[in-house]
Amino acid sequence: MTDIGAVGPAGTRTPSDDDHEFTVVQRSQTRLVLRRFLRHRAAMISLVVFVLIVLWAFAGPHFWHYSYAKYTPDNSQPPSWKHPFGTDSSGYDAYAQVMRGTQTSLKIAILIALGSTLVGAVWGAVAGFYRGFVDALMMRVADLVLTLPLFAIALVISSRSGGSWYWIAVVIAGLTWAYVSRVVRSSVLSLREKEFVEAARALGASDTRIIFRHLLPNALGPIIVNATILVATGILTETALSFLGFGVQPPDTSLGLLVAQAQTAVDTRPWLFYIPGAFIIAIALTINFIGDGLRDAFDPRQQRVRQ
């Protein structure tokens, strides 16, 4: 029989070992978000694929016996054990070039996401916190940036930057931060009316502390989701610029530049066109699925995990 516990002096039952099996452990919000994200199968698979692509792009060149910038005696060779992605008409090893192109495209996309998210989050948080004239003025500046033609300005500035991946990322980030600012502003407008903000004011916290210590951390969900979207947006924008000839320039390379250089050989040497194109699609899709998983994990309307 199950032990129901001993009876104490006052007739009360003392706890038995079975009572401890039903102890409820309170989970933090971070653990709840992580738990929901780990349950998102598509996001987890995409995260693994994306991490593998990043490791391959940044660590692979140190172990591969061909350099992306050096000729080989094998010209226009199809994929083989010696050249897994084949070679082009000049003898460049396509495997080494795709690794370098993926590395460059990822650096541009991640820098775009970091720059846009940082500027946009702070801009939107300040505007949403102060409201009134400050909000109106800052949002009109953001609206002005949103109306600027992204590709036209990026083409002009990138053409004067000499094809440096760093300046390409800075230009695109300078034209995309306004999207993040609008999302963060809408979150801060609702958060600033919460009790924890009133408590911080009552305790004498400065506006700067309230914005950076209380509002921005509580708006972290939409900020992270938008950052992942900007990674995908950044890599597609860089691809388009390089394809048009205004992105990364030789001797360096990127996935967009590889696709642009191989467009005339799509019928004779299709591996040069389709392989870097497949990497562009894979990166964009995995980032989008990761963003979907993060959005579902941070969304409070999702099914609550039992506490």
Side-chain angles (χ1 to χ4, degrees):
M1 295 179 61
T2 303
D3 182 15
I4 60 174
V7 178
T12 59
R13 186 174 66 86
T14 59
S16 66
D17 292 339
D18 291 339
D19 295 331
H20 297 289
E21 296 179 4
F22 301 97
T23 301
V24 176
V25 178
Q26 182 73 23
R27 294 189 178 96
S28 65
Q29 182 63 26
T30 302
R31 292 183 64 182
L32 291 173
V33 170
L34 180 60
R35 187 181 180 90
R36 285 196 290 262
F37 181 71
L38 292 176
R39 287 181 172 180
H40 198 292
R41 185 173 300 177
M44 290 306 301
I45 295 174
S46 297
L47 180 61
V48 172
V49 173
F50 181 71
V51 170
L52 291 176
I53 291 175
V54 172
L55 291 176
W56 174 78
F58 286 89
H62 298 288
F63 301 97
W64 189 240
H65 46 275
Y66 291 115
S67 170
Y68 77 96
K70 291 185 178 180
Y71 297 102
T72 69
D74 306 315
N75 298 336
S76 301
Q77 295 294 314
S80 62
W81 286 110
K82 186 177 181 181
H83 302 284
F85 292 171
T87 61
D88 62 11
S89 59
S90 300
Y92 287 114
D93 179 67
Y95 188 82
Q97 288 210 315
V98 172
M99 278 195 292
R100 176 65 178 185
T102 304
Q103 182 185 133
T104 303
S105 295
L106 285 173
K107 288 191 293 186
I108 293 173
I110 292 173
L111 185 57
I112 290 170
L114 291 176
S116 298
T117 301
L118 179 62
V119 175
V122 174
W123 192 274
V126 172
F129 178 77
Y130 286 108
R131 298 192 301 184
F133 174 76
V134 174
D135 180 28
L137 179 62
M138 295 181 73
M139 284 300 100
R140 296 299 77 76
V141 174
D143 291 340
L144 177 62
V145 174
L146 288 173
T147 61
L148 296 175
L150 173 62
F151 275 102
I153 296 178
L155 286 173
V156 173
I157 299 178
S158 298
S159 63
R160 299 177 180 273
S161 66
S164 169
W165 70 266
Y166 175 80
W167 285 111
I168 293 172
V170 170
V171 169
I172 299 175
L175 296 171
T176 53
W177 62 265
Y179 297 97
V180 181
S181 70
R182 284 214 157 271
V183 174
V184 175
R185 171 184 174 270
S186 63
S187 297
V188 170
L189 283 174
S190 61
L191 289 171
R192 72 184 304 276
E193 307 300 333
K194 300 295 184 180
E195 292 79 2
F196 67 87
V197 176
E198 295 297 330
R201 285 199 185 100
L203 292 173
S206 64
D207 291 350
T208 302
R209 180 175 177 81
I210 292 174
I211 292 173
F212 289 95
R213 183 66 180 82
H214 299 286
L215 293 177
L216 280 176
N218 281 280
L220 196 60
I223 291 174
I224 292 177
V225 172
N226 276 272
T228 60
I229 294 173
L230 283 170
V231 173
T233 302
I235 200 165
L236 293 176
T237 304
E238 180 278 325
T239 298
L241 286 175
S242 297
F243 188 82
L244 295 173
F246 293 93
V248 177
Q249 301 295 322
D252 204 351
T253 189
S254 70
L255 292 176
L257 182 59
L258 290 175
V259 171
Q261 291 174 334
Q263 60 180 322
T264 57
V266 66
D267 293 326
T268 57
R269 297 183 298 277
W271 58 87
L272 299 177
F273 181 86
Y274 289 112
I275 292 178
F279 273 87
I280 294 172
I281 295 172
I283 294 172
L285 283 179
T286 53
I287 290 297
N288 282 329
F289 280 124
I290 293 170
D292 287 342
L294 290 171
R295 181 198 61 202
D296 295 344
F298 280 105
D299 190 349
R301 292 172 295 181
Q302 296 294 316
Q303 184 177 358
R304 296 176 65 87
V305 179
R306 183 180 176 182
Q307 300 186 26

